[in-house]
């Protein structure tokens, strides 16, 4: 059974700090790894990673995948209170004929204080 | 920007009743999914749907659950006889021919 583990489970920082969120996975047939941000309700898409070593970047957020060591990190620089959310990592399976059952980690709760 | 929509936002029902949760995926998307999140737990896959049939389903998706695309825009999840443990947030998602799934705002189902 595919497994995704995130760490830390929660993190409290002050505005301006840089944070690194971790995601490790154990999967039978890896296709890609996704990061989502969940605020009040729906997870909103951040990044999709398929290749090792290629950094994806969007503003203050960046992410990279290591397929040899089976992990990914999400970095947020110069954090703001609006970054407070649950950050979810999900692995896309290669099972069946579907385009990707997502297996989610338990999430990292990030709290940014002013 | 197109988005996935879901109705209702909150549904309260009695145990044993049938509920239908509705979703309108993004219009050019071909793959549709339902997930659920029990309070305080992980988001869990329920079912994926493509070309008018189920592609994959989880162990959670038993005979009490069914999905349908009754017309060109809606995608529904039916629970025939709700149980207390069905109380959760249900998310619909859709994707084009990529792995990037876009989620709707969710329906909070409360079974009393």
């Amino acid at each position: 059974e595919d497994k995704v583990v995130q760490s830390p489970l929660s993190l409290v920082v002050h505005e301006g700090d840089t944070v690194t969120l971790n995601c490790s996975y154990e999967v039978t047939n890896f296709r890609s790894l996704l990061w989502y941000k969940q605020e009040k309700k729906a997870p909103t898409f951040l990044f999709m990673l398929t290749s090792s070593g290629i950094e994806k970047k969007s503003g203050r957020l960046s992410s990279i995948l290591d397929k040899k060591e089976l992990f990914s990190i999400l970095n947020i620089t110069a954090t703001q209170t609006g970054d407070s959310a649950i950050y979810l990592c999900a692995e896309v399976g290669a099972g069946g004929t579907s385009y990707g059952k997502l297996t989610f980690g338990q999430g990292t709760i990030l709290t940014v204080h002013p | 920007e197109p988005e996935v929509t879901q109705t209702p936002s909150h549904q309260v029902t009695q145990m044993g009743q049938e509920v239908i949760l509705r979703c309108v995926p993004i219009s050019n998307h071909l793959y549709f999914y339902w997930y659920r999140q029990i309070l305080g737990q992980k988001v869990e896959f329920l079912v994926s749907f493509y070309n008018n049939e189920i592609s994959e389903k989880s162990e959670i998706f038993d005979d009490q659950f069914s999905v349908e695309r009754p017309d060109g825009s809606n995608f529904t999840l039916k629970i025939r006889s709700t149980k207390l443990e069905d109380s959760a947030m249900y998310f619909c998602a859709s994707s084009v021919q990529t792995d990037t799934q876009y989620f709707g705002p969710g329906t909070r189902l409360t079974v009393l």
Side-chain angles (χ1 to χ4, degrees):
Chain A
E1 186 180 322
D2 293 353
K3 192 175 174 185
V4 177
V5 177
Q6 293 185 244
S7 64
L9 292 180
S10 67
L11 195 52
V12 180
V13 299
H14 287 94
E15 269 192 324
D17 289 349
T18 292
V19 297
T20 298
L21 310 183
N22 303 293
C23 174
S24 64
Y25 60 92
E26 295 173 23
V27 300
T28 310
N29 293 300
F30 177 84
R31 188 153 74 216
S32 56
L33 189 137
L34 282 75
W35 284 95
Y36 286 87
K37 178 182 181 183
Q38 186 177 25
E39 294 176 271
K40 296 263 169 38
K41 284 189 176 178
T44 53
F45 172 75
L46 294 175
F47 297 113
M48 182 176 78
L49 303 157
T50 53
S51 301
S52 266
I54 299 174
E55 186 183 54
K56 293 276 183 95
K57 201 167 167 63
S58 176
R60 296 175 295 103
L61 277 66
S62 63
S63 184
I64 199 160
L65 176 68
D66 185 328
K67 288 169 78 172
K68 185 179 172 189
E69 300 297 329
L70 307 183
F71 77 90
S72 174
I73 60 172
L74 175 69
N75 280 317
I76 308 175
T77 59
T79 50
Q80 301 170 356
T81 55
D83 295 327
S84 295
I86 301 173
Y87 289 84
L88 300 172
C89 169
E91 170 268 331
V92 184
T97 57
S98 72
Y99 249 97
K101 160 190 168 181
L102 292 181
T103 299
F104 281 89
Q106 67 273 57
T108 293
I109 303 171
L110 175 65
T111 305
V112 182
H113 288 310
Chain B
E1 189 175 321
E3 55 184 25
V4 177
T5 59
Q6 291 185 242
T7 55
S9 56
H10 191 191
Q11 173 99 43
V12 181
T13 190
Q14 296 290 326
M15 195 166 56
Q17 295 296 305
E18 174 182 287
V19 294
I20 297 176
L21 310 183
R22 291 184 167 78
C23 168
V24 178
I26 295 172
S27 63
N28 63 329
H29 286 188
L30 301 175
Y31 299 84
F32 314 115
Y33 313 84
W34 284 101
Y35 293 84
R36 78 170 186 193
Q37 187 175 32
I38 295 170
L39 191 63
Q41 297 187 23
K42 293 184 186 184
V43 177
E44 300 174 288
F45 170 79
L46 292 177
V47 66
S48 58
F49 190 87
Y50 169 70
N51 200 26
N52 280 319
E53 59 183 26
I54 290 173
S55 303
E56 192 171 358
K57 59 183 181 180
S58 72
E59 291 172 356
I60 303 166
F61 194 89
D62 61 21
D63 292 344
Q64 293 300 312
F65 290 86
S66 62
V67 289
E68 196 178 31
R69 187 147 163 87
D71 52 44
S73 58
N74 290 285
F75 179 50
T76 62
L77 174 69
K78 183 194 289 187
I79 309 175
R80 288 192 186 82
S81 177
T82 49
K83 307 183 187 81
L84 295 176
E85 54 265 36
D86 293 328
S87 294
M89 182 72 91
Y90 288 81
F91 293 110
C92 172
S94 68
S95 64
V96 195
Q97 289 194 7
T98 67
D99 297 331
T100 304
Q101 295 177 25
Y102 293 90
F103 284 73
T107 293
R108 179 163 296 286
L109 176 65
T110 302
V111 182
L112 302 176

